[in-house]
Amino acid sequence: KPVGTQNGELRWYCQEEGANLNSCFFKPEHEDDFAQYIESIIKRYPGKIDKIQFSNEWDSNYHFVGTAQDYVKYSNLVYDTVKLHSPETTVALGGITKWPLVYLAGCQLGLIDEFYTEEGELVSPSQKEAWCNSAEVIERNQRVKYVFINAKYDMVDIHLYDDPENWAAYVEALQSNLNLEDKPIILTEFGGPREQDPRFGDPYDEEVQATQLQKYIDKLKELPVSEAYYFRLIEGDGIGIGHPLTGLMKLIDGTPVKKPNYDVFKNR
């Protein structure tokens, strides 16, 4: 993906407007450099890359500052280049957060009555209409709808955290409303609970984490997903990471030590 800044300095290929730590617009004169970069990767490793995707959580402008049209242009460039030089490589549509699926499931389809926002605030049935009609929520979902209609992809990647009781509704909303045409689904991120989750007195209690992970895995077995990857292996802080201390291991004096959720994961 086009990362915006490094050590406070704008990357050479970025337009200054809108650039942040995670993303930027390519300067028009450097779009060909991006195309050549993708072509070089694929031609160097033909038939050796199982899956590839462009950008991460592009439904949020924190991770992709461009428009939906910009995302489709770059993502389709990746798709066409991959299929030309390594047609057996699967192109996954870059992972999206669950929030567009919360909108579809809660606002359009009525599959869930209440849910928590990204900020950890409960949206009750009486508050749902206001949340559903907010400009930010509508704009984000228009962005997602456009991409799903216009992007080329073989597989869909979604990220699910924290509320396994709603995951089936999110996947149902995804399959029925976003032009999937029976394309397979993977989860390249699942996990939790997050620090802001008000349902837990201490979401980073290790026994709580182990209990929650068991629930996540049980729910995944019920979902039509082909692969799922737990997020994270080792605890650690990082900008923009919503679950920094939910790793399967923790560092003690620089040495990785297994947590109870490690055994839950390994035994399942």
mmCIF file of all heavy atoms in Angstrom, residues 168-212:
data_model
loop_
_atom_site.group_PDB
_atom_site.id
_atom_site.type_symbol
_atom_site.label_atom_id
_atom_site.label_comp_id
_atom_site.label_asym_id
_atom_site.label_seq_id
_atom_site.Cartn_x
_atom_site.Cartn_y
_atom_site.Cartn_z
ATOM 1 N N ALA A 168 -22.071 -14.097 12.376
ATOM 2 C CA ALA A 168 -22.882 -14.757 11.349
ATOM 3 C C ALA A 168 -23.738 -13.729 10.613
ATOM 4 O O ALA A 168 -23.918 -13.815 9.387
ATOM 5 C CB ALA A 168 -23.754 -15.841 11.977
ATOM 6 N N ALA A 169 -24.258 -12.748 11.351
ATOM 7 C CA ALA A 169 -25.059 -11.700 10.721
ATOM 8 C C ALA A 169 -24.206 -10.853 9.785
ATOM 9 O O ALA A 169 -24.656 -10.465 8.694
ATOM 10 C CB ALA A 169 -25.704 -10.821 11.792
ATOM 11 N N TYR A 170 -22.971 -10.572 10.180
ATOM 12 C CA TYR A 170 -22.087 -9.780 9.321
ATOM 13 C C TYR A 170 -21.782 -10.525 8.020
ATOM 14 O O TYR A 170 -21.797 -9.929 6.932
ATOM 15 C CB TYR A 170 -20.780 -9.458 10.046
ATOM 16 C CG TYR A 170 -20.949 -8.684 11.327
ATOM 17 C CD1 TYR A 170 -19.993 -8.776 12.347
ATOM 18 C CD2 TYR A 170 -22.045 -7.854 11.544
ATOM 19 C CE1 TYR A 170 -20.130 -8.066 13.525
ATOM 20 C CE2 TYR A 170 -22.191 -7.143 12.728
ATOM 21 C CZ TYR A 170 -21.230 -7.254 13.715
ATOM 22 O OH TYR A 170 -21.363 -6.566 14.886
ATOM 23 N N VAL A 171 -21.491 -11.803 8.126
ATOM 24 C CA VAL A 171 -21.181 -12.583 6.932
ATOM 25 C C VAL A 171 -22.416 -12.711 6.037
ATOM 26 O O VAL A 171 -22.318 -12.628 4.810
ATOM 27 C CB VAL A 171 -20.632 -13.967 7.319
ATOM 28 C CG1 VAL A 171 -20.466 -14.851 6.084
ATOM 29 C CG2 VAL A 171 -19.285 -13.824 8.039
ATOM 30 N N GLU A 172 -23.573 -12.907 6.642
ATOM 31 C CA GLU A 172 -24.810 -12.958 5.859
ATOM 32 C C GLU A 172 -25.028 -11.651 5.107
ATOM 33 O O GLU A 172 -25.406 -11.643 3.922
ATOM 34 C CB GLU A 172 -26.003 -13.238 6.771
ATOM 35 C CG GLU A 172 -27.337 -13.289 6.032
ATOM 36 C CD GLU A 172 -28.511 -13.548 6.944
ATOM 37 O OE1 GLU A 172 -28.300 -14.022 8.077
ATOM 38 O OE2 GLU A 172 -29.652 -13.269 6.525
ATOM 39 N N ALA A 173 -24.800 -10.535 5.785
ATOM 40 C CA ALA A 173 -24.949 -9.225 5.150
ATOM 41 C C ALA A 173 -23.963 -9.061 4.000
ATOM 42 O O ALA A 173 -24.302 -8.540 2.932
ATOM 43 C CB ALA A 173 -24.761 -8.122 6.180
ATOM 44 N N LEU A 174 -22.736 -9.510 4.214
ATOM 45 C CA LEU A 174 -21.714 -9.441 3.178
ATOM 46 C C LEU A 174 -22.132 -10.235 1.948
ATOM 47 O O LEU A 174 -22.076 -9.743 0.813
ATOM 48 C CB LEU A 174 -20.395 -9.988 3.737
ATOM 49 C CG LEU A 174 -19.232 -10.193 2.767
ATOM 50 C CD1 LEU A 174 -18.676 -8.853 2.328
ATOM 51 C CD2 LEU A 174 -18.144 -11.051 3.403
ATOM 52 N N GLN A 175 -22.555 -11.457 2.145
ATOM 53 C CA GLN A 175 -22.891 -12.326 1.025
ATOM 54 C C GLN A 175 -24.133 -11.863 0.270
ATOM 55 O O GLN A 175 -24.217 -12.033 -0.949
ATOM 56 C CB GLN A 175 -23.098 -13.756 1.523
ATOM 57 C CG GLN A 175 -21.825 -14.427 2.002
ATOM 58 C CD GLN A 175 -22.077 -15.834 2.504
ATOM 59 O OE1 GLN A 175 -23.001 -16.070 3.285
ATOM 60 N NE2 GLN A 175 -21.273 -16.777 2.063
ATOM 61 N N SER A 176 -25.084 -11.277 0.976
ATOM 62 C CA SER A 176 -26.354 -10.947 0.335
ATOM 63 C C SER A 176 -26.412 -9.543 -0.256
ATOM 64 O O SER A 176 -27.306 -9.246 -1.045
ATOM 65 C CB SER A 176 -27.502 -11.105 1.347
ATOM 66 O OG SER A 176 -27.355 -10.202 2.442
ATOM 67 N N ASN A 177 -25.431 -8.687 0.087
ATOM 68 C CA ASN A 177 -25.557 -7.290 -0.312
ATOM 69 C C ASN A 177 -24.357 -6.697 -1.032
ATOM 70 O O ASN A 177 -24.432 -5.547 -1.462
ATOM 71 C CB ASN A 177 -25.841 -6.419 0.923
ATOM 72 C CG ASN A 177 -27.282 -6.498 1.360
ATOM 73 O OD1 ASN A 177 -28.084 -5.630 1.040
ATOM 74 N ND2 ASN A 177 -27.616 -7.546 2.089
ATOM 75 N N LEU A 178 -23.274 -7.436 -1.196
ATOM 76 C CA LEU A 178 -22.075 -6.814 -1.741
ATOM 77 C C LEU A 178 -21.502 -7.529 -2.960
ATOM 78 O O LEU A 178 -20.284 -7.592 -3.147
ATOM 79 C CB LEU A 178 -21.006 -6.669 -0.643
ATOM 80 C CG LEU A 178 -21.302 -5.589 0.398
ATOM 81 C CD1 LEU A 178 -20.248 -5.570 1.486
ATOM 82 C CD2 LEU A 178 -21.410 -4.206 -0.247
ATOM 83 N N ASN A 179 -22.369 -8.095 -3.787
ATOM 84 C CA ASN A 179 -21.950 -8.532 -5.112
ATOM 85 C C ASN A 179 -20.853 -9.590 -5.079
ATOM 86 O O ASN A 179 -19.965 -9.617 -5.934
ATOM 87 C CB ASN A 179 -21.454 -7.306 -5.913
ATOM 88 C CG ASN A 179 -21.319 -7.554 -7.396
ATOM 89 O OD1 ASN A 179 -22.184 -8.203 -7.983
ATOM 90 N ND2 ASN A 179 -20.260 -7.059 -8.000
ATOM 91 N N LEU A 180 -20.897 -10.500 -4.121
ATOM 92 C CA LEU A 180 -19.826 -11.484 -3.979
ATOM 93 C C LEU A 180 -19.850 -12.550 -5.069
ATOM 94 O O LEU A 180 -18.806 -13.085 -5.443
ATOM 95 C CB LEU A 180 -19.927 -12.182 -2.610
ATOM 96 C CG LEU A 180 -18.914 -11.720 -1.567
ATOM 97 C CD1 LEU A 180 -19.095 -10.253 -1.277
ATOM 98 C CD2 LEU A 180 -19.035 -12.543 -0.300
ATOM 99 N N GLU A 181 -21.034 -12.936 -5.520
ATOM 100 C CA GLU A 181 -21.165 -13.962 -6.556
ATOM 101 C C GLU A 181 -20.451 -15.253 -6.147
ATOM 102 O O GLU A 181 -19.698 -15.849 -6.917
ATOM 103 C CB GLU A 181 -20.621 -13.453 -7.891
ATOM 104 C CG GLU A 181 -21.370 -12.233 -8.421
ATOM 105 C CD GLU A 181 -20.802 -11.702 -9.717
ATOM 106 O OE1 GLU A 181 -19.707 -12.161 -10.113
ATOM 107 O OE2 GLU A 181 -21.432 -10.823 -10.319
ATOM 108 N N ASP A 182 -20.692 -15.669 -4.913
ATOM 109 C CA ASP A 182 -20.153 -16.930 -4.392
ATOM 110 C C ASP A 182 -18.637 -16.966 -4.287
ATOM 111 O O ASP A 182 -18.034 -18.047 -4.209
ATOM 112 C CB ASP A 182 -20.631 -18.122 -5.242
ATOM 113 C CG ASP A 182 -22.139 -18.297 -5.186
ATOM 114 O OD1 ASP A 182 -22.718 -18.068 -4.103
ATOM 115 O OD2 ASP A 182 -22.732 -18.641 -6.214
ATOM 116 N N LYS A 183 -17.990 -15.817 -4.296
ATOM 117 C CA LYS A 183 -16.541 -15.803 -4.103
ATOM 118 C C LYS A 183 -16.226 -16.202 -2.658
ATOM 119 O O LYS A 183 -16.957 -15.884 -1.727
ATOM 120 C CB LYS A 183 -15.973 -14.424 -4.398
ATOM 121 C CG LYS A 183 -16.034 -14.042 -5.872
ATOM 122 C CD LYS A 183 -15.403 -12.691 -6.097
ATOM 123 C CE LYS A 183 -15.327 -12.360 -7.583
ATOM 124 N NZ LYS A 183 -16.661 -12.118 -8.171
ATOM 125 N N PRO A 184 -15.112 -16.928 -2.440
ATOM 126 C CA PRO A 184 -14.761 -17.372 -1.085
ATOM 127 C C PRO A 184 -14.392 -16.210 -0.182
ATOM 128 O O PRO A 184 -14.002 -15.128 -0.646
ATOM 129 C CB PRO A 184 -13.569 -18.309 -1.310
ATOM 130 C CG PRO A 184 -13.006 -17.913 -2.627
ATOM 131 C CD PRO A 184 -14.160 -17.433 -3.455
ATOM 132 N N ILE A 185 -14.508 -16.459 1.122
ATOM 133 C CA ILE A 185 -14.227 -15.449 2.148
ATOM 134 C C ILE A 185 -13.120 -15.960 3.055
ATOM 135 O O ILE A 185 -13.124 -17.128 3.454
ATOM 136 C CB ILE A 185 -15.480 -15.165 2.993
ATOM 137 C CG1 ILE A 185 -16.644 -14.680 2.116
ATOM 138 C CG2 ILE A 185 -15.181 -14.142 4.086
ATOM 139 C CD1 ILE A 185 -17.961 -14.627 2.851
ATOM 140 N N ILE A 186 -12.171 -15.100 3.374
ATOM 141 C CA ILE A 186 -11.163 -15.403 4.384
ATOM 142 C C ILE A 186 -11.171 -14.296 5.434
ATOM 143 O O ILE A 186 -11.636 -13.186 5.181
ATOM 144 C CB ILE A 186 -9.740 -15.559 3.798
ATOM 145 C CG1 ILE A 186 -9.283 -14.267 3.105
ATOM 146 C CG2 ILE A 186 -9.674 -16.734 2.848
ATOM 147 C CD1 ILE A 186 -7.828 -14.295 2.685
ATOM 148 N N LEU A 187 -10.675 -14.634 6.618
ATOM 149 C CA LEU A 187 -10.458 -13.653 7.688
ATOM 150 C C LEU A 187 -8.963 -13.570 7.930
ATOM 151 O O LEU A 187 -8.366 -14.507 8.452
ATOM 152 C CB LEU A 187 -11.145 -14.086 8.984
ATOM 153 C CG LEU A 187 -12.625 -13.761 9.188
ATOM 154 C CD1 LEU A 187 -13.485 -14.551 8.221
ATOM 155 C CD2 LEU A 187 -13.024 -14.065 10.610
ATOM 156 N N THR A 188 -8.345 -12.464 7.528
ATOM 157 C CA THR A 188 -6.919 -12.323 7.824
ATOM 158 C C THR A 188 -6.683 -11.669 9.177
ATOM 159 O O THR A 188 -5.532 -11.542 9.604
ATOM 160 C CB THR A 188 -6.189 -11.522 6.734
ATOM 161 O OG1 THR A 188 -6.805 -10.245 6.575
ATOM 162 C CG2 THR A 188 -6.213 -12.275 5.413
ATOM 163 N N GLU A 189 -7.766 -11.268 9.848
ATOM 164 C CA GLU A 189 -7.658 -10.805 11.227
ATOM 165 C C GLU A 189 -8.916 -11.199 11.989
ATOM 166 O O GLU A 189 -10.020 -10.922 11.542
ATOM 167 C CB GLU A 189 -7.511 -9.278 11.309
ATOM 168 C CG GLU A 189 -6.219 -8.720 10.751
ATOM 169 C CD GLU A 189 -6.116 -7.213 10.941
ATOM 170 O OE1 GLU A 189 -6.775 -6.679 11.867
ATOM 171 O OE2 GLU A 189 -5.390 -6.571 10.176
ATOM 172 N N PHE A 190 -8.735 -11.855 13.126
ATOM 173 C CA PHE A 190 -9.805 -11.987 14.103
ATOM 174 C C PHE A 190 -9.170 -12.003 15.480
ATOM 175 O O PHE A 190 -7.998 -12.349 15.630
ATOM 176 C CB PHE A 190 -10.674 -13.235 13.863
ATOM 177 C CG PHE A 190 -10.060 -14.542 14.324
ATOM 178 C CD1 PHE A 190 -10.351 -15.051 15.584
ATOM 179 C CD2 PHE A 190 -9.211 -15.268 13.500
ATOM 180 C CE1 PHE A 190 -9.814 -16.252 16.010
ATOM 181 C CE2 PHE A 190 -8.668 -16.473 13.906
ATOM 182 C CZ PHE A 190 -8.964 -16.969 15.167
ATOM 183 N N GLY A 191 -9.939 -11.599 16.500
ATOM 184 C CA GLY A 191 -9.359 -11.589 17.836
ATOM 185 C C GLY A 191 -10.122 -10.681 18.774
ATOM 186 O O GLY A 191 -11.255 -10.284 18.526
ATOM 187 N N GLY A 192 -9.462 -10.358 19.888
ATOM 188 C CA GLY A 192 -10.058 -9.519 20.917
ATOM 189 C C GLY A 192 -9.870 -10.159 22.288
ATOM 190 O O GLY A 192 -9.167 -11.158 22.432
ATOM 191 N N PRO A 193 -10.526 -9.584 23.322
ATOM 192 C CA PRO A 193 -11.336 -8.369 23.284
ATOM 193 C C PRO A 193 -10.479 -7.116 23.326
ATOM 194 O O PRO A 193 -9.342 -7.149 23.777
ATOM 195 C CB PRO A 193 -12.198 -8.498 24.543
ATOM 196 C CG PRO A 193 -11.360 -9.281 25.493
ATOM 197 C CD PRO A 193 -10.578 -10.244 24.650
ATOM 198 N N ARG A 194 -11.049 -6.014 22.875
ATOM 199 C CA ARG A 194 -10.290 -4.769 22.844
ATOM 200 C C ARG A 194 -10.411 -4.033 24.176
ATOM 201 O O ARG A 194 -11.353 -4.240 24.939
ATOM 202 C CB ARG A 194 -10.766 -3.879 21.703
ATOM 203 C CG ARG A 194 -12.168 -3.353 21.867
ATOM 204 C CD ARG A 194 -12.630 -2.606 20.629
ATOM 205 N NE ARG A 194 -11.721 -1.530 20.273
ATOM 206 C CZ ARG A 194 -12.017 -0.586 19.379
ATOM 207 N NH1 ARG A 194 -13.175 -0.602 18.768
ATOM 208 N NH2 ARG A 194 -11.160 0.369 19.100
ATOM 209 N N GLU A 195 -9.450 -3.172 24.396
ATOM 210 C CA GLU A 195 -9.347 -2.462 25.678
ATOM 211 C C GLU A 195 -10.598 -1.636 25.967
ATOM 212 O O GLU A 195 -11.028 -1.524 27.114
ATOM 213 C CB GLU A 195 -8.117 -1.553 25.659
ATOM 214 C CG GLU A 195 -7.861 -0.835 26.967
ATOM 215 C CD GLU A 195 -6.607 0.017 26.912
ATOM 216 O OE1 GLU A 195 -6.080 0.228 25.806
ATOM 217 O OE2 GLU A 195 -6.164 0.468 27.976
ATOM 218 N N GLN A 196 -11.223 -1.052 24.901
ATOM 219 C CA GLN A 196 -12.357 -0.163 25.100
ATOM 220 C C GLN A 196 -13.675 -0.905 25.255
ATOM 221 O O GLN A 196 -14.721 -0.282 25.417
ATOM 222 C CB GLN A 196 -12.474 0.811 23.918
ATOM 223 C CG GLN A 196 -11.270 1.715 23.734
ATOM 224 C CD GLN A 196 -10.227 1.108 22.807
ATOM 225 O OE1 GLN A 196 -10.180 -0.097 22.616
ATOM 226 N NE2 GLN A 196 -9.384 1.959 22.247
ATOM 227 N N ASP A 197 -13.654 -2.236 25.189
ATOM 228 C CA ASP A 197 -14.898 -2.995 25.228
ATOM 229 C C ASP A 197 -15.508 -2.930 26.622
ATOM 230 O O ASP A 197 -14.941 -3.456 27.580
ATOM 231 C CB ASP A 197 -14.638 -4.451 24.832
ATOM 232 C CG ASP A 197 -15.916 -5.189 24.469
ATOM 233 O OD1 ASP A 197 -16.931 -4.963 25.159
ATOM 234 O OD2 ASP A 197 -15.904 -5.975 23.521
ATOM 235 N N PRO A 198 -16.681 -2.292 26.762
ATOM 236 C CA PRO A 198 -17.256 -2.110 28.102
ATOM 237 C C PRO A 198 -17.877 -3.373 28.685
ATOM 238 O O PRO A 198 -18.286 -3.380 29.843
ATOM 239 C CB PRO A 198 -18.333 -1.043 27.860
ATOM 240 C CG PRO A 198 -18.739 -1.251 26.441
ATOM 241 C CD PRO A 198 -17.489 -1.684 25.716
ATOM 242 N N ARG A 199 -17.913 -4.447 27.911
ATOM 243 C CA ARG A 199 -18.523 -5.679 28.408
ATOM 244 C C ARG A 199 -17.603 -6.441 29.348
ATOM 245 O O ARG A 199 -18.025 -7.398 29.993
ATOM 246 C CB ARG A 199 -18.922 -6.580 27.232
ATOM 247 C CG ARG A 199 -20.057 -6.019 26.390
ATOM 248 C CD ARG A 199 -20.286 -6.844 25.149
ATOM 249 N NE ARG A 199 -19.158 -6.746 24.238
ATOM 250 C CZ ARG A 199 -19.086 -7.392 23.071
ATOM 251 N NH1 ARG A 199 -20.066 -8.176 22.705
ATOM 252 N NH2 ARG A 199 -18.046 -7.253 22.285
ATOM 253 N N PHE A 200 -16.353 -6.020 29.433
ATOM 254 C CA PHE A 200 -15.381 -6.740 30.250
ATOM 255 C C PHE A 200 -14.770 -5.804 31.286
ATOM 256 O O PHE A 200 -14.339 -4.694 30.952
ATOM 257 C CB PHE A 200 -14.269 -7.323 29.374
ATOM 258 C CG PHE A 200 -14.772 -8.270 28.323
ATOM 259 C CD1 PHE A 200 -15.022 -7.827 27.036
ATOM 260 C CD2 PHE A 200 -15.018 -9.598 28.620
ATOM 261 C CE1 PHE A 200 -15.498 -8.686 26.075
ATOM 262 C CE2 PHE A 200 -15.491 -10.464 27.663
ATOM 263 C CZ PHE A 200 -15.735 -10.011 26.390
ATOM 264 N N GLY A 201 -14.725 -6.252 32.517
ATOM 265 C CA GLY A 201 -14.079 -5.468 33.543
ATOM 266 C C GLY A 201 -12.610 -5.283 33.256
ATOM 267 O O GLY A 201 -12.060 -4.199 33.422
ATOM 268 N N ASP A 202 -11.970 -6.345 32.786
ATOM 269 C CA ASP A 202 -10.560 -6.283 32.431
ATOM 270 C C ASP A 202 -10.356 -7.130 31.174
ATOM 271 O O ASP A 202 -10.105 -8.333 31.256
ATOM 272 C CB ASP A 202 -9.671 -6.804 33.566
ATOM 273 C CG ASP A 202 -8.187 -6.683 33.242
ATOM 274 O OD1 ASP A 202 -7.864 -6.183 32.141
ATOM 275 O OD2 ASP A 202 -7.371 -7.098 34.066
ATOM 276 N N PRO A 203 -10.485 -6.522 29.989
ATOM 277 C CA PRO A 203 -10.376 -7.302 28.756
ATOM 278 C C PRO A 203 -8.998 -7.901 28.530
ATOM 279 O O PRO A 203 -8.847 -8.788 27.693
ATOM 280 C CB PRO A 203 -10.717 -6.276 27.664
ATOM 281 C CG PRO A 203 -10.419 -4.958 28.272
ATOM 282 C CD PRO A 203 -10.722 -5.105 29.730
ATOM 283 N N TYR A 204 -7.997 -7.426 29.282
ATOM 284 C CA TYR A 204 -6.660 -7.981 29.110
ATOM 285 C C TYR A 204 -6.298 -8.983 30.207
ATOM 286 O O TYR A 204 -5.139 -9.373 30.347
ATOM 287 C CB TYR A 204 -5.623 -6.865 29.009
ATOM 288 C CG TYR A 204 -5.751 -6.097 27.709
ATOM 289 C CD1 TYR A 204 -5.424 -4.764 27.615
ATOM 290 C CD2 TYR A 204 -6.228 -6.735 26.549
ATOM 291 C CE1 TYR A 204 -5.546 -4.067 26.420
ATOM 292 C CE2 TYR A 204 -6.355 -6.053 25.351
ATOM 293 C CZ TYR A 204 -6.015 -4.727 25.292
ATOM 294 O OH TYR A 204 -6.133 -4.044 24.094
ATOM 295 N N ASP A 205 -7.288 -9.392 30.989
ATOM 296 C CA ASP A 205 -7.088 -10.512 31.886
ATOM 297 C C ASP A 205 -6.876 -11.766 31.027
ATOM 298 O O ASP A 205 -7.659 -12.057 30.129
ATOM 299 C CB ASP A 205 -8.309 -10.683 32.784
ATOM 300 C CG ASP A 205 -8.181 -11.887 33.700
ATOM 301 O OD1 ASP A 205 -8.583 -12.988 33.262
ATOM 302 O OD2 ASP A 205 -7.693 -11.731 34.811
ATOM 303 N N GLU A 206 -5.834 -12.509 31.304
ATOM 304 C CA GLU A 206 -5.460 -13.604 30.418
ATOM 305 C C GLU A 206 -6.490 -14.726 30.388
ATOM 306 O O GLU A 206 -6.678 -15.381 29.360
ATOM 307 C CB GLU A 206 -4.076 -14.136 30.808
ATOM 308 C CG GLU A 206 -2.980 -13.102 30.556
ATOM 309 C CD GLU A 206 -1.593 -13.620 30.883
ATOM 310 O OE1 GLU A 206 -1.464 -14.798 31.256
ATOM 311 O OE2 GLU A 206 -0.636 -12.829 30.765
ATOM 312 N N GLU A 207 -7.170 -14.968 31.490
ATOM 313 C CA GLU A 207 -8.214 -15.990 31.485
ATOM 314 C C GLU A 207 -9.432 -15.527 30.676
ATOM 315 O O GLU A 207 -10.077 -16.325 29.989
ATOM 316 C CB GLU A 207 -8.625 -16.332 32.921
ATOM 317 C CG GLU A 207 -7.525 -17.016 33.718
ATOM 318 C CD GLU A 207 -7.060 -18.322 33.090
ATOM 319 O OE1 GLU A 207 -7.886 -19.022 32.446
ATOM 320 O OE2 GLU A 207 -5.867 -18.653 33.237
ATOM 321 N N VAL A 208 -9.745 -14.238 30.751
ATOM 322 C CA VAL A 208 -10.816 -13.673 29.931
ATOM 323 C C VAL A 208 -10.487 -13.838 28.451
ATOM 324 O O VAL A 208 -11.331 -14.254 27.641
ATOM 325 C CB VAL A 208 -11.047 -12.193 30.269
ATOM 326 C CG1 VAL A 208 -11.985 -11.541 29.239
ATOM 327 C CG2 VAL A 208 -11.613 -12.042 31.660
ATOM 328 N N GLN A 209 -9.269 -13.541 28.085
ATOM 329 C CA GLN A 209 -8.851 -13.679 26.690
ATOM 330 C C GLN A 209 -8.978 -15.121 26.212
ATOM 331 O O GLN A 209 -9.431 -15.386 25.095
ATOM 332 C CB GLN A 209 -7.414 -13.197 26.527
ATOM 333 C CG GLN A 209 -7.251 -11.695 26.692
ATOM 334 C CD GLN A 209 -5.820 -11.255 26.534
ATOM 335 O OE1 GLN A 209 -4.916 -12.056 26.328
ATOM 336 N NE2 GLN A 209 -5.597 -9.954 26.636
ATOM 337 N N ALA A 210 -8.568 -16.064 27.048
ATOM 338 C CA ALA A 210 -8.650 -17.473 26.675
ATOM 339 C C ALA A 210 -10.102 -17.900 26.477
ATOM 340 O O ALA A 210 -10.434 -18.621 25.519
ATOM 341 C CB ALA A 210 -7.969 -18.336 27.735
ATOM 342 N N THR A 211 -10.974 -17.446 27.359
ATOM 343 C CA THR A 211 -12.392 -17.779 27.236
ATOM 344 C C THR A 211 -12.979 -17.189 25.959
ATOM 345 O O THR A 211 -13.740 -17.855 25.242
ATOM 346 C CB THR A 211 -13.179 -17.253 28.452
ATOM 347 O OG1 THR A 211 -12.670 -17.866 29.638
ATOM 348 C CG2 THR A 211 -14.659 -17.559 28.323
ATOM 349 N N GLN A 212 -12.624 -15.945 25.664
ATOM 350 C CA GLN A 212 -13.132 -15.312 24.455
ATOM 351 C C GLN A 212 -12.618 -16.000 23.196
ATOM 352 O O GLN A 212 -13.364 -16.196 22.237
ATOM 353 C CB GLN A 212 -12.745 -13.830 24.433
ATOM 354 C CG GLN A 212 -13.567 -12.975 25.372
ATOM 355 C CD GLN A 212 -15.050 -13.053 25.069
ATOM 356 O OE1 GLN A 212 -15.832 -13.646 25.807
ATOM 357 N NE2 GLN A 212 -15.452 -12.467 23.964
#
